Amino acid sequence: MHISNLKVASQYAKSFLKQAKEAEIVEHVYRDVLFLKKVVEDNKNLVQVLKSPIITNQKKLSILEALFKARIHKLTFNLLRVVSHAKREAILPAIMEAFLEQYYAYKKIILASVTTAFQLSDDLIDYFKELVKSMKPCKEVILTEYTNPSIQGGFILRVADQQLDNSLANKLYELNKQFSIAQY
């Protein structure tokens, strides 16, 4: 996506979060945004319709109204209306992403992911959440868990722009690399 579109999406999201705070419905619109994001992710045809220069903005708004008006808060639907009137429907997914980023920052929530060779127990999930909190102070950690047997053991933890690769596959790779260098 073009940088100027990202800035515009961020501005819409900032304004939307501000309005939600003022109306004291931040959690409600957060759930709306998660719902909208899921619908958009699950329906690529909808994204194509929103991006189409052939379909009129009025028709796009009619589609958005039919799909969402009865299912989301009026403030959230108003955002869709404003975006449509500005002929910016194509950046709705970016607005949803920007809103979530700003919401998580506002709530001091850190998103992280952990990849292991096996499914984690609740105790290990709690351990990784505490590990993330020790790396980045926050109130809450939303941890996404991935299973990938090819890492053979250990874990790969991703927090924002940091990655801690403590996988067995990585350790074996590093050892192999050291031995290859040592042979010369």
Side-chain angles (χ1 to χ4, degrees), residues 2 6 11 69 117 129 136 139:
H2 197 268
L6 292 176
Q11 289 297 0
K69 190 170 185 180
K129 285 181 177 181
K136 298 223 181 230
K139 287 185 178 178

Tab-separated table of all heavy atoms in Angstrom, residues 2 6 11 69 117 129 136 139:
chain	number	residue	atom	x	y	z
A	2	HIS	N	0.457	2.228	-0.679
A	2	HIS	CA	1.190	3.482	-0.799
A	2	HIS	C	1.300	4.154	0.574
A	2	HIS	O	0.368	4.117	1.373
A	2	HIS	CB	0.472	4.390	-1.804
A	2	HIS	CG	1.322	5.496	-2.305
A	2	HIS	ND1	1.337	6.723	-1.700
A	2	HIS	CD2	2.198	5.557	-3.337
A	2	HIS	CE1	2.183	7.505	-2.349
A	2	HIS	NE2	2.718	6.819	-3.344
A	6	LEU	N	-1.346	4.838	3.857
A	6	LEU	CA	-1.128	4.386	5.237
A	6	LEU	C	-1.302	5.549	6.206
A	6	LEU	O	-1.882	5.385	7.285
A	6	LEU	CB	0.251	3.750	5.390
A	6	LEU	CG	0.457	2.426	4.672
A	6	LEU	CD1	1.906	1.956	4.818
A	6	LEU	CD2	-0.498	1.361	5.198
A	11	GLN	N	-4.774	8.270	10.150
A	11	GLN	CA	-5.531	9.442	10.604
A	11	GLN	C	-6.999	9.091	10.856
A	11	GLN	O	-7.590	9.527	11.842
A	11	GLN	CB	-5.417	10.592	9.593
A	11	GLN	CG	-4.052	11.229	9.571
A	11	GLN	CD	-3.682	11.894	10.893
A	11	GLN	OE1	-4.412	11.908	11.865
A	11	GLN	NE2	-2.489	12.447	10.938
A	69	LYS	N	-24.620	-2.613	8.838
A	69	LYS	CA	-25.319	-1.594	9.621
A	69	LYS	C	-26.031	-2.162	10.852
A	69	LYS	O	-25.956	-1.576	11.939
A	69	LYS	CB	-26.316	-0.826	8.762
A	69	LYS	CG	-26.882	0.388	9.490
A	69	LYS	CD	-27.682	1.282	8.598
A	69	LYS	CE	-28.104	2.530	9.366
A	69	LYS	NZ	-28.884	3.421	8.546
A	117	ALA	N	7.718	-26.730	18.347
A	117	ALA	CA	7.545	-27.972	17.604
A	117	ALA	C	6.294	-28.727	18.056
A	117	ALA	O	5.874	-29.684	17.417
A	117	ALA	CB	8.778	-28.859	17.776
A	129	LYS	N	4.187	-15.457	27.988
A	129	LYS	CA	3.592	-14.131	28.213
A	129	LYS	C	4.428	-13.341	29.221
A	129	LYS	O	4.670	-12.147	29.039
A	129	LYS	CB	2.148	-14.266	28.703
A	129	LYS	CG	1.187	-14.656	27.604
A	129	LYS	CD	-0.239	-14.748	28.134
A	129	LYS	CE	-1.213	-15.071	27.022
A	129	LYS	NZ	-2.610	-15.136	27.503
A	136	LYS	N	9.250	-6.218	27.181
A	136	LYS	CA	8.553	-4.965	26.862
A	136	LYS	C	7.472	-4.748	27.912
A	136	LYS	O	6.509	-5.493	27.965
A	136	LYS	CB	7.894	-5.051	25.485
A	136	LYS	CG	8.865	-5.242	24.351
A	136	LYS	CD	8.481	-4.356	23.216
A	136	LYS	CE	9.449	-4.572	22.067
A	136	LYS	NZ	9.966	-3.369	21.560
A	139	LYS	N	0.618	-4.088	29.934
A	139	LYS	CA	-0.418	-4.594	30.833
A	139	LYS	C	-0.853	-5.994	30.447
A	139	LYS	O	-1.237	-6.793	31.292
A	139	LYS	CB	-1.637	-3.669	30.815
A	139	LYS	CG	-1.432	-2.366	31.530
A	139	LYS	CD	-2.716	-1.571	31.572
A	139	LYS	CE	-2.499	-0.283	32.342
A	139	LYS	NZ	-3.713	0.547	32.362
